[in-house]
Amino acid sequence: MVVAEVIQFSFNVLFRASIYVLVAIGLSIIFGSLQYVNMAHGALYLFGAYLGYVIAGTNQYSDGILAGMGQFGLDAGFVAALVVVPIVVFLAGVVMEHFLAKPFYDRPLLDQLLVTFGILLVFQEVVGEIFGKSSLLYPRPDWLLGAFELPGIGVPPGFESVSTVRVIAVLLTLVLIGVIVAFYRYTNYGLAVRAGTEDTEMTRLLGIRVDRPFLLIFAIGAAYAGIGGLLGGFQFGFSYQSGVEIIIPALVIVIMGGVGSLRGTILASLLAGLSVAVVGVFVPSMSTASIYVLAIIVLAFRPNGLFESEAIAQ
């Protein structure tokens, strides 16, 4: 019984940490490689949550423009949403980078903060007008909410209270972390991003085009945020304000881990997930606030974050 409780609690922590990683990792690599603070990253999380909701089921909205349209949605299921959402949000990231982010790359950080946070607020209000301002829950098929099972084996010992969606989220996050690390270390685009981060002008003088690699890394970060929105929205529910609710903790996690450091972002996300889970047991109303307390403690001793990194993907 104790083992089962430990495994259940561990996956609660890992699931929440996975959502933070998926959002914060894109924010961190964009900040680290492009020196661009993208608070509108929260809009991509929000986009992923609502897009997945429309794809996964057919739903009746209680308010908003869609309220008068009856049942609305594709009813294609969760798996279809998990495939389509990152693709569409990746393309949305391409558009965002080209039209909204790129013109502000050379502007002061305060300008970037104000503009991108404004974009997020405008986007969430538009979403609220279309889909309504009530909290929403995904269709919840039994195979996702039931205990995780291995083919031919059934439920592994201790996993009786661990839902399938939590295991999927944790495994998928591990795969996506591996993909982004491999991108940086083993592809020419990743090498160009690393070189461009160190010295953009020199890299261009050497004939290396950095615009496309920067665009690609921005869009990958967007896709990760979209997946985070889908998984987080499924498990916790969501509303038009979810983008703002996730982007502030995510930014704190990026700073706590060390801007541009992937391992710092991952470790900070794990600590944040653990903090929220532990505090949530005793004082649920303080669970999210515990992230900020944790950040204060970490930054008091390590002002540049857990892993100060001169190069991204470290």
Side-chain angles (χ1 to χ4, degrees):
M1 185 64 179
V2 174
V3 173
E5 291 176 349
V6 170
I7 293 175
Q8 181 187 11
F9 181 79
S10 298
F11 269 90
N12 289 345
V13 172
L14 291 173
F15 178 83
R16 192 173 288 275
S18 296
I19 302 303
Y20 288 143
V21 166
L22 290 172
V23 179
I25 205 168
L27 198 62
S28 182
I29 58 179
I30 292 168
F31 197 175
S33 59
L34 302 175
Q35 300 300 303
Y36 180 72
V37 185
N38 186 24
M39 300 299 283
H41 205 66
L44 299 167
Y45 176 93
L46 192 62
F47 185 34
Y50 275 92
L51 179 61
Y53 186 69
V54 170
I55 294 172
T58 175
N59 311 285
Q60 174 67 53
Y61 297 88
S62 59
D63 56 337
I65 295 174
L66 295 178
M69 298 182 64
Q71 294 288 328
F72 181 82
L74 301 180
D75 199 19
F78 182 81
V79 174
L82 196 57
V83 173
V84 175
V85 165
I87 296 172
V88 175
V89 182
F90 177 93
L91 296 175
V94 171
V95 174
M96 176 182 282
E97 195 275 345
H98 189 74
F99 292 103
L100 299 177
K102 197 172 183 178
F104 289 90
Y105 280 164
D106 296 326
R107 299 287 288 273
L109 289 181
L110 183 58
D111 288 6
Q112 297 173 359
L113 275 170
L114 292 174
V115 169
T116 56
F117 194 65
I119 292 171
L120 172 57
L121 293 179
V122 170
F123 184 77
Q124 77 167 20
E125 291 303 320
V126 171
V127 168
E129 290 299 319
I130 296 174
F131 292 92
K133 299 187 176 181
S134 302
S135 295
L136 301 174
L137 286 174
Y138 272 70
R140 309 182 83 75
D142 293 338
W143 71 272
L144 274 174
L145 295 179
F148 172 69
E149 296 184 29
L150 288 172
I153 298 177
V155 179
F159 279 71
E160 292 81 2
S161 300
V162 179
S163 63
T164 302
V165 68
R166 290 182 186 272
V167 178
I168 290 175
V170 172
L171 295 178
L172 182 60
T173 301
L174 290 175
V175 170
L176 293 175
I177 289 172
V179 169
I180 200 71
V181 170
F183 171 83
Y184 274 118
R185 294 188 177 180
Y186 305 116
T187 69
N188 291 334
Y189 269 29
L191 180 61
V193 170
R194 290 159 60 189
T197 302
E198 293 295 318
D199 192 329
T200 304
E201 288 302 319
M202 181 58 71
T203 305
R204 284 177 171 148
L205 287 173
L206 291 173
I208 300 173
R209 298 180 62 182
V210 295
D211 291 348
R212 287 185 180 177
F214 279 168
L215 170 62
L216 181 59
I217 201 64
F218 191 104
I220 291 174
Y224 280 25
I227 297 171
L230 170 63
L231 295 172
F234 179 88
Q235 185 63 29
F236 304 125
F238 62 101
S239 74
Y240 76 110
Q241 295 177 315
S242 294
V244 172
E245 293 169 354
I246 193 68
I247 196 62
I248 304 297
L251 182 60
V252 171
I253 286 169
V254 168
I255 295 171
M256 184 165 58
V259 174
S261 170
L262 293 184
R263 59 182 175 178
T265 301
I266 294 167
L267 178 57
S269 297
L270 284 170
L271 292 175
L274 179 62
S275 174
V276 170
V278 171
V279 175
V281 172
F282 300 100
V283 192
S285 61
M286 289 292 293
S287 58
T288 302
S290 67
I291 298 175
Y292 306 111
V293 175
L294 178 66
I296 291 171
I297 296 172
V298 169
L299 295 177
F301 291 95
R302 299 185 67 85
N304 294 316
L306 293 169
F307 289 93
E308 181 183 4
S309 177
E310 295 181 355
I312 56 176
Q314 298 297 319

